Amino acid sequence: MSATNRISAVALGPDDRAEREEWLAALARVIDANAYCLGPEVAAFEAKVQSLLDVPHAVGLANGTDALRLGLLALGVGAGDEVVVPAFTFFATASSAAHIGARPVFADVDPATLTLAPAALERALTGRTRAIVPVHLYGQAADMAGIARIAGARGIQILEDAAQAFGVRYRGGPLGALGAAGTFSFYPTKNLGAPGDAGMLITRDAALATRVRALRMHGDAGGYRHEHLGWNARMDGFSAAILSLKLDRLAAVQSARSRNAEYYVRAFADRSLGEHVRLLGRTAGSEHCWHQFVIRARSRDALRAHLAARGIDTGLHYPASLPEQSAFAYLGHRRGEFPAAESAGKEVLALPVHHRLREADLARVAAAIAEFYKDAP
């Protein structure tokens, strides 16, 4: 299969020559202003996000992981505290807590949506729980109503991991602004992607925003007066300049992603795939940005190889639950403790859904999947 006929799992870089020229002009502005770390482009991007999401504070950061770590620190989480996270998500959600000396405590996910299950969350809470980090996985919200009810009853703070769901709203409110604070990643594959690593924290709490702004500058409160142990987590001017441009195109990009996702939903409903392929459930009250279009597939690895042989790239997000990761072996978990998360790791497969796909590409993906299961028992 030639590279030109291959269906990529992601869409990186400018969409066309005109957008490429916009990128180059934006980068030239940063160079001419010598504004490489923070500076006017970062401030402008922060202001645009505040306006779009209707939040008073948006803090540009170096990446989504820094946003999680600084958010936890700003909430007062530290050594000996416990932070509840879903057992099925990207590694950084849990490692960010571990890096600041806290103990990540895993809670199983809802089998339908694969987001944090409120009932499992409630069982995971202890007297040492200092924060809850729900993940808005694959582009839709976790059950924030249920999570907020439990957190509010215990007086526990919520830090939303919205790395995969920028711009998504839940019951009318923007994700990231439903708890004490929320974090985003602008890794290039996200629905709003930078030309490299970049991230952000948003909040309605002015004091918390002030702490995060200091923490991203080694805890400097001004004039080399370091009041906290922060580190270098500043967003760079190049990323901010490109992100501002892409923010202007986000609505069109999102419309295309949604259209592609709807095609898959119709295609799989029309085909007799039975128990071979299952779609994930939708969180009531949540929009979806379709950062990933994920199916649960029988014989997943064989299906993935079948698609690859036909020039169709896919993603594996994620092949194992977090408690199964060797880096967390010290927590002493055993297989079987988180059945929904462990089952997901064996079945999930992300299909191409990005905005550059044509309907013919989507049809080719759906047909290849149907072909694989045609004679399956």
Side-chain angles (χ1 to χ4, degrees):
M1 180 66 61
S2 70
T4 55
N5 292 327
R6 196 156 200 91
I7 299 177
S8 172
V10 296
L12 302 177
D15 285 337
D16 50 37
R17 184 177 295 275
E19 187 179 8
R20 183 177 185 276
E21 292 303 316
E22 290 179 359
W23 281 36
L24 292 175
L27 298 179
R29 287 199 309 271
V30 176
I31 294 170
D32 292 343
N34 290 318
Y36 306 112
C37 296
L38 298 180
E41 294 289 348
V42 174
F45 177 60
E46 290 173 338
K48 290 180 78 167
V49 171
Q50 288 168 194
S51 176
L52 178 68
L53 301 185
D54 192 24
V55 292
H57 308 286
V59 184
L61 298 164
N63 52 67
T65 303
D66 280 343
L68 287 166
R69 290 192 290 183
L70 297 191
L72 289 171
L73 283 175
L75 290 174
V77 177
D81 292 329
E82 293 181 352
V83 177
V84 179
V85 303
F88 190 75
T89 183
F90 181 57
F91 185 74
T93 309
S95 67
S96 298
H99 274 300
I100 63 172
R103 180 182 179 89
V105 175
F106 300 116
D108 210 357
V109 293
D110 177 83
T113 64
L114 303 185
T115 60
L116 181 62
L121 163 65
E122 196 155 29
R123 293 191 296 269
L125 300 177
T126 74
R128 302 179 76 172
T129 305
R130 189 66 178 270
I132 299 165
V133 186
V135 176
H136 304 311
L137 194 69
Y138 301 144
Q140 70 171 339
D143 180 359
M144 287 300 293
I147 292 167
R149 174 183 54 78
I150 294 167
R154 298 285 196 101
I156 300 171
Q157 299 180 98
I158 296 174
L159 177 66
E160 297 172 69
D161 183 342
Q164 301 182 13
F166 181 85
V168 174
R169 303 182 83 85
Y170 172 81
R171 297 189 176 183
L175 295 187
L178 305 180
T183 66
F184 299 113
S185 166
F186 301 123
Y187 187 73
T189 59
K190 298 296 193 293
N191 68 318
L192 179 64
D197 276 314
M200 177 167 276
L201 179 141
I202 65 172
T203 181
R204 302 190 188 279
D205 185 329
L208 192 150
T210 297
R211 287 196 294 275
V212 174
R213 289 186 186 278
L215 288 169
R216 74 178 175 180
M217 294 275 291
H218 298 284
D220 190 350
Y224 294 102
R225 292 179 296 107
H226 299 271
E227 298 178 352
H228 310 282
L229 286 175
W231 53 81
N232 180 4
R234 298 169 294 197
M235 179 179 282
D236 69 86
F238 290 127
S239 289
I242 301 303
L243 284 166
S244 286
L245 292 175
K246 295 189 75 172
L247 195 59
D248 294 336
R249 295 172 176 251
L250 182 61
V253 167
Q254 191 50 48
S255 177
R257 297 179 80 100
S258 296
R259 185 171 61 249
N260 294 342
E262 289 165 5
Y263 180 96
Y264 282 140
V265 171
R266 291 193 304 270
F268 293 134
D270 290 343
R271 296 174 188 274
S272 301
L273 296 178
E275 63 184 30
H276 301 301
V277 172
R278 290 180 290 154
L279 303 183
L280 298 188
R282 293 290 301 272
T283 301
S286 177
E287 297 175 345
H288 207 312
C289 74
W290 301 105
H291 166 60
Q292 304 287 354
F293 188 94
V294 172
I295 61 173
R296 300 189 69 159
R298 185 178 178 185
S299 305
R300 188 266 318 278
D301 294 340
L303 171 62
R304 192 180 191 204
H306 171 85
L307 295 174
R310 283 150 184 78
I312 300 169
D313 294 336
T314 56
L316 199 52
H317 315 291
Y318 304 93
S321 70
L322 290 182
E324 294 176 282
Q325 299 286 348
S326 58
F328 293 124
Y330 70 95
L331 295 173
H333 292 295
R334 292 178 295 180
R335 193 158 294 177
E337 289 185 58
F338 307 95
E342 293 169 18
S343 173
K346 298 179 177 66
E347 296 178 349
V348 293
L349 186 67
L351 306 180
V353 74
H354 57 81
H355 65 287
R356 293 181 194 161
L357 296 170
R358 302 163 301 168
E359 185 169 322
D361 297 323
L362 303 171
R364 190 171 133 202
V365 174
I369 293 173
E371 176 192 19
F372 177 78
Y373 290 115
K374 181 180 179 181
D375 298 319

